[in-house]
Amino acid sequence: MKRSLPALVLLVLALGSLPAPAANAAVGLPPTVPGVRHFDPGVGEFILAAHVRVLADTGEAATVARTLAADLSRGGRPAAVSAGPAASGDIVVRVADSGPAEAESYRIDIGANMTVTARTRQGATHATQTLLQWFSQTTTVPAGAVIDRPDFAERGLMLDVGRKFLSVGWIKQRIREMAYYRMNLLHLHLSDHYGFRLASTSHPEITSPQHYTRAELAEIISYADTYGIEVVPEIGFPGHMNAILAPHPELVLHPATTSPIDVATDSLLAGTAEGRIDLSNPAARPLIEDLLREFVPLFPGRYFHLGGDEYVTDYSRYPQLAAAAHDRLGPDAVPQDLVADTVNGAGDIVASYGKTARLWNDGIPRGARLSVDESIVVEHWTAGNGLLPWVGNDNGPEQLADQGRLLNNSAFTPTYWASGGYAAPMNTPPHLLYAWDPGLFVNGTRLRQDQRERLLGSKLHVWCDDPTVMTEEQMVSPVRERLPVMAQQLWAGTGGAAYPEFVARVRMLGTPSV
């Protein structure tokens, strides 16, 4: 996890500058999380049939209809996909150009029967989750028309399975809950200090005893896709490679000089020193490239995350990096250029498979003369350089947006939650996450109005710095407290509702099961 000293005060101060939230509740409808944006009431009501028929054409609509029928049946209301004209109490699913134009938007027309219309399978899936939330409370819904859409394109959850192995069943249950709240991005942090969680054939020596088989990965990806959720894998480098480098000690980056402060800092950061690969070693990049060529094709989504965070802050301690930069990139090159060149090479491999690379923002090395490819999506978690993510603005959001980069606001405060370790006491309470908004970055800045289209969204980040502190069962409750808050923030804002009112609404809806 990205490390830092506590400074929630900055968040509290910044909250005073938040814009007025958009209304997101539809009066007369059963409450949902997130709340739907717009409801035009009609005359009459819809009453769900005792044995529900879900009607759909073939193709994507039929896929959504089958999932909805299965979810209704699992929730105690018998349902089946059927054909023919719609009757009272039926649900119709349509994926067609007649749906609302905005990405992931949907329309629900409510009368004697109920019709869901969206332009994409993802939009139709979101609509069905709204229906499931309604029917968890009542079988009668007032007539009218709902039109709904999200504010942000990315509404995600990150799981640190590199430090703590989380079972396939646990991950699938989180996917089901994400879908219930209309979220769409699952980021799997697959390698770090305590494990490399993929079964490697190119380098089997790095595979941890607890790992996901190819079949288990396919199961996770397929289940996520059923609910319109994209899986973003991360294999981090050139730092946080402890598990990868454990069988390759010859590739570990060692400083020419050290100090008690350096030793103490590396100890605090849970073995970061042993996880830095020596980019001056000719065998370093081939190892990274082997892993990318093996694993990028296994994930069908649009993205592959390269990590990039917390490599080196004081390059003067590593003269071998400067020498290698001069040899490979020319006499004017600085050691940071070696990092940028490695990132660009990795990004090229990702692009060769038709995908886009992602990177933590400190993976763009400060002081480099070589530019990191601007097509790489930047996850902005820190404003500083080291232990103070709230202080500074190097590679800040405005600067990155002006370079044409797309951003995810992965602010340490308040989007991070740690199950254990030194950072756990700094976890942001759910009510402060509820008071935040996704346009506020970790140092209290916001993008200018002309830059805001560069902000894709945000995620709840679940880190496991000390994997022994909590079991995966013990982690469920704090994640469930925060996930619907993040979903509401990213869909339409909090709508001015008090936090206790929101919590009561979440509890009213219950929790879906796999």
Side-chain angles (χ1 to χ4, degrees):
M1 152 170 195
K2 320 302 173 303
R3 320 293 179 155
S4 40
L5 299 176
L8 290 178
V9 173
L10 182 61
L11 173 64
V12 174
L13 292 175
L15 294 178
S17 66
L18 297 184
N24 64 354
V27 176
L29 288 174
T32 60
V33 175
V36 300
R37 303 185 76 100
H38 183 76
F39 175 56
D40 283 330
V43 177
E45 61 186 13
F46 169 87
I47 302 174
L48 187 67
H51 293 272
V52 185
R53 294 196 316 156
V54 185
L55 310 178
D57 297 330
T58 58
E60 292 186 319
T63 299
V64 175
R66 285 192 294 270
T67 302
L68 174 60
D71 284 335
L72 286 167
S73 299
R74 191 178 299 111
R77 177 66 57 161
V81 177
S82 187
S88 296
D90 288 348
I91 299 171
V92 180
V93 178
R94 292 176 178 158
V95 177
D97 289 342
S98 57
E102 295 90 348
E104 298 184 71
S105 61
Y106 63 87
R107 179 184 177 100
I108 305 173
D109 290 292
I110 310 165
N113 53 62
M114 191 177 287
T115 300
V116 165
T117 308
R119 292 195 178 206
T120 64
R121 178 167 66 91
Q122 194 172 41
T125 299
H126 294 327
T128 64
Q129 301 309 298
T130 297
L131 303 189
L132 290 170
Q133 290 192 10
W134 287 345
F135 299 146
S136 72
Q137 306 161 68
T138 180
T139 56
T140 302
V141 181
V146 166
I147 299 177
D148 201 12
R149 61 169 179 80
D151 279 342
F152 290 97
E154 292 187 355
R155 306 175 305 283
L157 171 68
M158 192 222 75
L159 299 176
D160 177 12
V161 297
R163 290 189 179 88
K164 183 177 183 66
F165 182 82
L166 298 170
S167 67
V168 172
W170 196 94
I171 293 173
K172 288 174 67 175
Q173 181 59 40
R174 304 290 80 73
I175 291 170
R176 184 65 196 91
E177 292 163 18
M178 290 175 66
Y180 200 50
Y181 301 127
R182 309 201 289 275
M183 302 179 85
N184 65 0
L185 201 71
L186 176 65
H187 174 178
L188 294 178
H189 183 80
L190 290 160
S191 65
D192 213 300
H193 186 186
Y194 299 108
F196 186 84
R197 305 303 183 188
L198 300 167
S200 176
T201 56
S202 66
H203 290 277
E205 73 280 0
I206 72 172
T207 299
S208 298
Q210 284 188 306
H211 64 271
Y212 304 105
T213 66
R214 299 292 172 96
E216 288 171 331
L217 276 180
E219 181 181 356
I220 291 169
I221 293 167
S222 176
Y223 187 73
D225 181 68
T226 297
Y227 289 101
I229 293 172
E230 182 174 8
V231 175
V232 177
E234 178 186 355
I235 298 177
F237 74 88
H240 292 277
M241 294 181 67
N242 306 65
I244 297 173
L245 294 178
H248 293 283
E250 74 280 3
L251 295 181
V252 173
L253 178 67
H254 295 291
T257 60
T258 189
S259 71
I261 294 176
D262 298 327
V263 173
T265 300
D266 286 339
S267 175
L268 183 65
L269 299 186
T272 298
E274 293 80 9
R276 299 179 185 127
I277 195 168
D278 186 352
L279 293 178
S280 71
N281 191 312
R285 279 185 66 161
L287 172 61
I288 293 168
E289 292 167 358
D290 286 348
L291 296 177
L292 291 175
R293 290 194 175 96
E294 179 177 4
F295 290 110
V296 171
L298 292 186
F299 294 87
R302 296 168 294 168
Y303 300 108
F304 197 95
H305 203 301
L306 303 174
D309 59 302
E310 295 180 328
Y311 182 53
V312 169
T313 54
D314 183 1
Y315 282 89
S316 67
R317 296 174 58 209
Y318 304 96
Q320 67 268 45
L321 297 180
H326 295 157
D327 290 344
R328 299 177 194 176
L329 303 172
D332 295 329
V334 294
Q336 294 93 318
D337 291 335
L338 194 65
V339 179
D341 185 61
T342 304
V343 168
N344 285 339
D348 289 343
I349 292 174
V350 173
S352 73
Y353 292 97
K355 304 178 189 301
T356 299
R358 299 175 77 106
L359 193 70
W360 301 110
N361 68 295
D362 52 332
I364 301 174
R366 294 173 175 85
R369 299 180 181 181
L370 182 65
S371 177
V372 169
D373 193 314
E374 294 172 2
S375 69
I376 297 176
V377 175
V378 178
E379 312 243 359
H380 191 281
W381 75 273
T382 180
N385 190 7
L387 299 178
L388 291 171
W390 302 276
V391 180
N393 203 31
D394 290 341
N395 284 341
E398 290 185 1
Q399 177 185 351
L400 295 169
D402 278 338
Q403 293 168 5
R405 302 182 188 275
L406 293 174
L407 305 176
N408 183 286
N409 187 357
S410 302
F412 176 93
T413 305
T415 75
Y416 282 21
W417 177 83
S419 64
Y422 130 91
M426 294 179 273
N427 288 336
T428 301
H431 69 276
L432 279 183
L433 178 61
Y434 188 77
W436 174 72
D437 86 272
L440 182 66
F441 286 85
V442 68
N443 63 347
T445 65
R446 295 178 182 275
L447 296 180
R448 301 189 309 268
Q449 183 67 39
D450 64 297
Q451 298 173 321
R452 290 181 184 174
E453 65 179 11
R454 314 304 300 174
L455 179 57
L456 296 173
S458 186
K459 301 190 295 284
L460 174 66
H461 299 79
V462 174
W463 296 100
C464 304
D465 294 46
D466 183 346
T468 67
V469 173
M470 297 178 76
T471 66
E472 64 178 23
E473 290 78 14
Q474 290 170 326
M475 291 170 59
V476 169
S477 179
V479 174
R480 280 182 174 167
E481 285 181 319
R482 291 163 173 80
L483 193 65
V485 175
M486 183 62 79
Q488 181 67 64
Q489 291 280 26
L490 293 165
W491 188 271
T494 61
Y499 180 66
E501 176 187 335
F502 177 80
V503 171
R505 196 191 328 161
V506 172
R507 289 174 179 165
M508 186 186 306
L509 301 177
T511 303
S513 59
V514 174

